[in-house]
Amino acid sequence: MTAPLRLGTRRSALALAQSQMVADAVAAASGREVELVPIVSEGDVNRASLSQLGGRGVFANGLREALAAGRCDFLVHSLKDLPTAQPEGLVIAATPPREDARDVVVTRDGTPLHALEAGARVGTGSPRRIAQALRHNPRLDIHDIRGNVDSRLARVRDGELDAVILAAAGISRLGGELGGLRAEALGLAEWPTAPGQGSLAVETRADIGADTLAALATLDDEATRAAITAERTVLSVLDAGCHAPVGTHASIADGDLRLRAVVYALDGAHRIGIDRTVRVEPVRAEPVRAEPVRADPGYARETGSGNGADAADDGGLIARAARIGREAARRLLERGAADLVPRESTT
C-alpha cells in the first residue's frame, strides 16, 4: 500500500483550512491520501510584535526545518509571510490561483476607516497597515496586536477595539463569517497590500519524487506566479523584511502586467510609489477584479512599450515579471525609498 503524502502546516485554524484545501487537490491529482502534519513555528510561540520580528521568516522557518529533515513531504505557506530568499534544497512547486488580495477593515457598525472618529482604537500588527491607516486617518489610535482571526474579531465584538484590519483572503478561507460585524474592503489602487497577499505557496524538497512533484505542479497558476514574482522581487531588491511598510500589487489583464509598489514611512506621513504597466504575453488573468488606477501625488507612472527589454523573450513570463519588479524597485530606490524602509538582510 502506498504511504500517504504528509503536508506540513501551522496549527492555526486558517493554516489548517488552507492546507486542507491544498491536501484535497493534491490527493485528487496524485491518487494518494494526504495527511496533515501540524508543526509549531516561531511566530506561533513568540508573541513579539511583527515590527520587532521583522522579516526573519518566523512563520516559515520551523516548517522548512521539518521539511528538510524529512518529517513531511511538502508545505503550504501564506505567501505574504514567506521570506524572499529561497533556502537551498527547497523549491516552490506551485502557487495556486490567487484569492482576493485586498485588506478589509472590520467594525461593529460599518463605519469606513476614513470616517472613524478621533481616538478610535484600530488593531493591526503590520507596520504596512499601520502606516496606511495613519495616512488615511491620522486621528486613529493604533494598537499593535497579534492573534488569530477569531481572537481579533472578538476584540472588536467585545468593544476592546473599534476596528481591526485583516486580509480578505483569510476571512474567506475561514468561511467568511464575521459574527455580526461589518467589513469594508480597501481598494488595491489606494491600499496595495503585502507582496503575495491572497496567494499560497506549496513548497517541497528539490529531490522529492517526480510523481509527487508533478502532482503538486498541477496546482500552479502561471498568472498568479508572475504577479507574485513581480511583487516579491520589489521587496527583495529593496532588501526589506516581509513585514516592512511596503505595499505592492501586480495583476495581468489583456496581456499587460500592471505593478503598483509603494514604500511608506512608519508613521504614514510620507510615501514613495510607482506604477508600471508592461506588455507581456497573453495569459489567463488572476481571479481578482480589476480596479482603475487613479492619478495620485507621490506616484511615478510609466508604461512599457512592449518592444524593448521588458517584453524580450528571455526566459518567459516569470523572468519578465522578475525584471519588471527589479526595475520598479530600482526606481523607488532612486527616489529615496531606502530612507523609509528598514533594511533586512534575511528576507
Side-chain angles (χ1 to χ4, degrees):
M1 181 176 177
T2 304
L5 293 170
R6 299 161 299 164
L7 192 169
T9 176
R10 292 173 59 201
R11 296 174 182 266
S12 72
L14 176 56
L16 290 170
Q18 60 196 25
S19 293
Q20 189 62 58
M21 292 167 48
V22 172
D24 293 342
V26 173
S30 67
R32 295 174 63 180
E33 180 184 353
V34 178
E35 62 180 22
L36 300 188
V37 179
I39 297 167
V40 176
S41 69
E42 180 186 353
D44 296 321
V45 295
N46 188 332
R47 306 315 298 170
S49 70
L50 293 180
S51 59
Q52 293 175 312
L53 293 174
R56 296 184 291 114
V58 293
F59 295 112
N61 291 342
L63 278 73
R64 284 174 157 175
E65 289 169 3
L67 178 61
R71 303 201 327 258
C72 56
D73 300 305
F74 65 104
L75 307 171
V76 173
H77 304 280
S78 291
L79 193 55
K80 69 182 179 65
D81 295 327
L82 202 60
T84 56
Q86 186 63 30
E88 185 176 355
L90 302 183
V91 295
I92 303 298
T95 53
R98 189 181 212 167
E99 292 197 29
D100 194 336
R102 294 175 296 178
D103 279 339
V104 295
V105 177
V106 180
T107 60
R108 288 183 294 278
D109 60 4
T111 302
L113 181 71
H114 73 270
L116 289 173
E117 63 184 14
R121 297 157 297 178
V122 176
T124 176
S126 160
R128 170 189 59 81
R129 289 171 177 158
I130 293 171
Q132 290 174 318
L134 290 174
R135 185 166 185 85
H136 281 70
N137 186 344
R139 304 170 299 168
L140 299 175
D141 177 15
I142 303 293
H143 288 243
D144 191 346
I145 63 171
R146 294 283 306 279
N148 60 35
V149 172
D150 286 342
S151 68
R152 297 187 192 205
L153 294 177
R155 295 174 74 170
V156 177
R157 197 176 295 114
D158 296 343
E160 181 183 344
L161 296 172
D162 296 301
V164 291
I165 306 174
L166 302 169
I171 294 175
S172 175
R173 288 172 183 146
L174 286 171
E177 180 56 51
L178 295 177
L181 301 176
R182 305 282 296 278
E184 173 200 5
L186 300 168
L188 292 164
E190 292 299 321
W191 190 286
T193 51
Q197 182 159 310
S199 301
L200 300 178
V202 181
E203 187 173 43
T204 189
R205 293 184 297 277
D207 62 358
I208 201 75
D211 289 347
T212 300
L213 192 62
L216 299 180
T218 64
L219 278 63
D220 195 55
D221 180 77
E222 187 181 33
T224 295
R225 186 181 282 263
I228 62 95
T229 295
E231 294 168 10
R232 285 165 57 78
T233 298
V234 172
L235 194 68
S236 177
V237 174
L238 290 178
D239 193 21
C242 52
H243 294 289
V246 177
T248 67
H249 183 70
S251 60
I252 296 176
D254 300 324
D256 289 336
L257 188 150
R258 171 178 288 177
L259 171 65
R260 163 166 282 202
V262 189
V263 179
Y264 298 89
L266 291 172
D267 61 1
H270 305 286
R271 68 175 175 180
I272 298 171
I274 190 169
D275 286 309
R276 283 183 57 76
T277 299
V278 177
R279 189 71 180 170
V280 295
E281 64 187 28
V283 298
R284 181 171 61 82
E286 63 176 284
V288 177
R289 71 183 184 189
E291 298 189 33
V293 177
R294 295 180 288 277
D296 195 332
Y299 276 86
R301 193 174 309 283
E302 302 171 354
T303 301
S305 68
N307 296 317
D310 278 325
D313 187 8
D314 61 350
L317 177 62
I318 306 306
R320 258 172 258 167
R323 186 172 55 256
I324 292 166
R326 286 193 297 272
E327 180 64 12
R330 183 183 67 79
R331 299 192 184 195
L332 287 170
L333 290 170
E334 289 175 350
R335 301 182 64 213
D339 295 331
L340 301 181
V341 178
R343 308 288 279 188
E344 291 278 349
S345 60
T346 54
T347 46

